[in-house]
Amino acid sequence: MPELTNKDRMKIPRHHMPEQAPEVRIHNFNEVNLGYTIELAREEAERCLRCKKPVCIEGCPVAVKIPDFIKLVAEGKFKEAAEILKEDNALPAICGRVCPQEDQCEKVCVVAKKGEPVAIGHLERFVADWERMNIGYRLPEMRPKTGKKVAIVGGGPAGLSCAKDLIIMGHDVTVFEALHEIGGVLIYGIPEFRLPKEIVRAEVDYLRMLGVEFVTNYVIGLTETIDELLQRYDAVFIGVGAGLPYFLNIPGENLLGIYSANEFLTRVNLMRAFEFPKADTPIMNLQGKDVAVFGGGNTAMDAVRTALRLGAKNAMIIYRRTEAEMPARIEEIKHAKEEGVKFIFLSAPLEFIGDDDGWVRAVKIQKMQLGEPDSSGRRKPIPIEGAIETIPIDAAVIAIGNGSNPIISKTTPDLKVNKWGNIIVDPETMKTSKKGVFAGGDIVTGGATVILAMGAGRKAAKAIDEYLKNPEVW
Amino acid sequence: MNKIVEARFLAPDIKLFRIEAPKIAEKRKPGQFVVVRVEELGERIPLTIADSNLEEGTVTIIVQGVGKTTKHLNLLEAGDFIHDIVGPLGKPSEIENYGVAVSIGGGVGTAIAYPTAKALKEAGNYVIGIIGGRSKEFVILEDEMRRICDELYPTTDDGSYGFHGFVTHKLQKLLDEGRKIDFVLAIGPIPMMKAVADVTRPYGIKTVVSLNPIMVDATGMCGGCRVTVDNKIYFACVDGPEFDAHKVDFDNLMKRNRMYLEHEKKSLEEFICRIDLMAKKLEKQNA
Ligand SMILES: Cc1cc2nc3c(=O)[nH]c(=O)nc-3n(C[C@H](O)[C@H](O)[C@H](O)COP(=O)(O)OP(=O)(O)OC[C@H]3O[C@@H](n4cnc5c(N)ncnc54)[C@H](O)[C@@H]3O)c2cc1C
Ligand SMILES: Cc1cc2nc3c(=O)[nH]c(=O)nc-3n(C[C@H](O)[C@H](O)[C@H](O)COP(=O)(O)OP(=O)(O)OC[C@H]3O[C@@H](n4cnc5c(N)ncnc54)[C@H](O)[C@@H]3O)c2cc1C
Ligand code: SF4
Ligand code: FES
């Protein structure tokens, strides 16, 4: 192709992601997005203006060298593109699928001023998938063994990225995970139709190949405490996530048919309840049922779309504010709408109503209107007096966020946490109040994103490496 | 994968296992439990740690076959492996010297009450044991309980052994006789625990029960195990499993435990089919 001018590039429309048709995909758990073909990827890559001052990099929490990898895609040099991508992003196949690009790199992309931004996320996904499927993972250059040992607590994105950097730096790394499978939210929370588990497992296998040891079914704080780990390891990284579901605290919440999103998604994803009875763990029969999901984030979208796939006749999102305030990724909202999810905005649940057997039958809703912006800048919903409705439902999923699980803080008294139970760290080094202990990811920030957890894990790895060289000065 | 070093039946379809799990053996306290998965696609189920042996690094669990997973487990023998075991989970029992403590176990509940009763004895309590079963063969751990109890009363519903009647009747009888009782621990089927709570309530005797809601992760992550106590929501896997019997909403727990009855039936049927099929295949191979 001849060298294009910026004007030519701006004329190319954004290439849409091929996907399963909505009427097909609501009957299966396979991935919705099918991925760019080589042609689509190369054409999309031509849309990038290769800016002198690439603002997209500033928009990326881990500063992926975006125009560089995109240029290599345009040239068909996918292997080289993958190498560049992986210098900054430890899990590109995952981030390409789940990052909120519209709030990060694509939000600031120059092309977006006149049209749609370059599809940076789709290209990231393409490159990572191409590498995995065509050449597989290669061994990176490993530093000589240092003889130091690091324990990683929690096998989510924070722990995995920390483990990867530390093993490459020559340290021995063991990951301790409470559940029977590694991956954190990537395994138990985010559904197969958005992030195939095979991809997460491939990443974990890669770390295993690099020499990372994994110990599952091991709850730090209960099976072994942080203090005991410190006797066996030279440093500890805590990446245990935000695993304590909030409930609405309204009457009727213990009725049958009411789940936290964590329970609902864990049953379906980790325990594979959608394959019942081949898999043993059940999920209530949702065939032909009315299901309400409370919340407006990615978790709520995942739950409502899971309910549809389990056969719900009517899957609803009930949210206190309006669409504009919903924190979910735009793509998830779009997909949910295409699939027929109903959105009921400006509605806050007041009470669940049950039948004699204890099953939920309806929810009472307070209608809201938007008032002044609150501290987060979002307009605060305020109740409209007397505007109360009753919506019949057979099941409900509560997806209003997670707090921090207290198992570690309770068993590690000298580990400082804030009033929400989040571990307090030095933001530069991720070190905690306890010598030799570092932390990152959702347990520090509260529920955030995969890329931020990954970034925190890598920052901690760098600091741990320094600490291991000279623990006295820390 | 954890190796089973001993497996033997204590009663019809109630089986004791000693399983290699050195870390758990070292850490566990009375009242805590493990979560077990028997096979790759199996359910995660909670089982109380009845005992542990530090030298051999084993924990003891006692399992009543009530459905697919427990019946599958009860097919295993010494030398077999458990797919996953994690623990110790839950809050340990609050052990104090109350004075006179009554430990009540109904059916397999005796196995769950046993470690706490033992700890109560070690803490200096005068321990009275009441262990019930439908009939003689369902009364378990009698020898073990006798060793740690100052008085032990087996009871059977049909009168085939010991006191004829429910464990609550025996408890009521002790109270009627004017016995001073300072603490009651009651573990068994939900209606039994509820009945014990009703017996002790008028006397104001501190009464603790161990709740058995349906669990998934058992680390506080899912909230599936939530129970209503004193009109508040608690997660039984981290805030319990032991709670003040006089404040527990037993009806809510009973209903919630019935949530998957149809699934459970199907799951067991499929499992039996699977075993049948294997047996038929074997026959064919041998023919
Ligand atoms: C349903 C859902 C959808 C989401 N969708 C998106 C999305 O589209 N895009 C996005 O960027 N973000 C999304 N997020 C948020 C994102 O998944 C999290 O921010 C991220 O996973 C946090 O990573 P982490 O490593 O800190 O913790 P986690 O992923 O939570 O992993 C923590 C791990 O530690 C383990 N653990 C906990 N306690 C212990 C202990 N005591 N001992 C040993 N192990 C322990 C846990 O079992 C878990 O495996 C979503 C979250 C959910 C719940
Ligand atoms: C803290 C705790 C300690 C326990 N200790 C023991 C013990 O020491 N010995 C023993 O025999 N039993 C114990 N139980 C009960 C045991 O967990 C259940 O009998 C078992 O899960 C049933 O599984 P199943 O597949 O065999 O039967 P199913 O047919 O699946 O279920 C039978 C009944 O068991 C309950 N149940 C089902 N799934 C679960 C689950 N995932 N978690 C909890 N309950 C479930 C339900 O009420 C159900 O109706 C304990 C339960 C709890 C919560
Ligand atoms: S801002 Fe957009 S156009 Fe500019 S380099 Fe980044 S991706 Fe390319
Ligand atoms: S079993 Fe999940 S929180 Fe208790």
Side-chain angles (χ1 to χ4, degrees), chain B residues 110-247:
Chain B
T110 302
I112 304 176
Y114 169 72
T116 304
K118 192 169 158 196
L120 285 167
K121 179 67 198 166
E122 283 160 8
N125 288 280
Y126 183 91
V127 178
I128 301 175
I130 304 177
I131 56 175
R134 249 183 294 153
S135 57
K136 183 171 194 295
E137 48 188 1
F138 289 98
V139 177
I140 59 166
L141 299 184
E142 187 177 349
D143 293 344
E144 286 81 355
M145 283 296 281
R146 206 170 285 284
R147 248 174 269 137
I148 58 157
C149 287
D150 296 279
E151 295 171 36
L152 182 73
Y153 302 103
T155 71
T156 50
D157 303 356
D158 64 357
S160 54
Y161 187 60
F163 176 86
H164 184 172
F166 293 149
V167 288
T168 40
H169 297 150
K170 183 66 210 178
L171 175 67
Q172 185 66 59
K173 196 155 172 266
L174 290 175
L175 288 163
D176 291 344
E177 287 164 3
R179 295 288 301 264
K180 172 180 156 298
I181 294 174
D182 304 298
F183 177 78
V184 172
L185 167 76
I187 305 177
I190 298 169
M192 181 210 100
M193 295 194 283
K194 188 180 176 200
V196 170
D198 290 340
V199 169
T200 59
R201 188 174 287 113
Y203 298 87
I205 301 170
K206 178 172 172 145
T207 305
V208 165
V209 286
S210 179
L211 302 185
N212 59 343
I214 296 173
M215 295 187 176
V216 186
D217 62 299
T219 62
M221 182 271 276
C222 79
C225 63
R226 60 196 192 278
V227 291
T228 314
V229 181
D230 209 9
N231 287 317
K232 287 199 280 286
I233 287 183
Y234 290 92
F235 291 2
C237 70
V238 285
D239 303 322
E242 289 179 9
F243 291 95
D244 180 344
H246 297 146
K247 298 191 173 143

Side-chain angles (χ1 to χ4, degrees), chain A residues 47-51 53-57 66-67 70 105 108-111 118 120:
Chain A
R47 297 182 65 227
C48 173
L49 307 180
R50 299 157 191 188
C51 304
K53 194 177 155 287
V55 284
C56 53
I57 300 186
I66 293 167
I70 293 186
C105 53
V108 290
C109 172
V110 172
V111 181
V118 174
I120 303 171

Side-chain angles (χ1 to χ4, degrees), chain B residues 227-269:
Chain B
V227 291
T228 314
V229 181
D230 209 9
N231 287 317
K232 287 199 280 286
I233 287 183
Y234 290 92
F235 291 2
C237 70
V238 285
D239 303 322
E242 289 179 9
F243 291 95
D244 180 344
H246 297 146
K247 298 191 173 143
V248 169
D249 182 343
F250 287 105
D251 294 336
N252 181 240
L253 175 62
M254 212 158 353
K255 283 178 183 157
R256 284 184 64 84
N257 271 3
R258 296 171 60 84
M259 180 146 170
Y260 299 106
L261 281 187
E262 276 169 39
H263 289 87
E264 286 155 2
K265 208 172 132 233
K266 179 141 192 217
S267 189
L268 184 59
E269 282 166 8

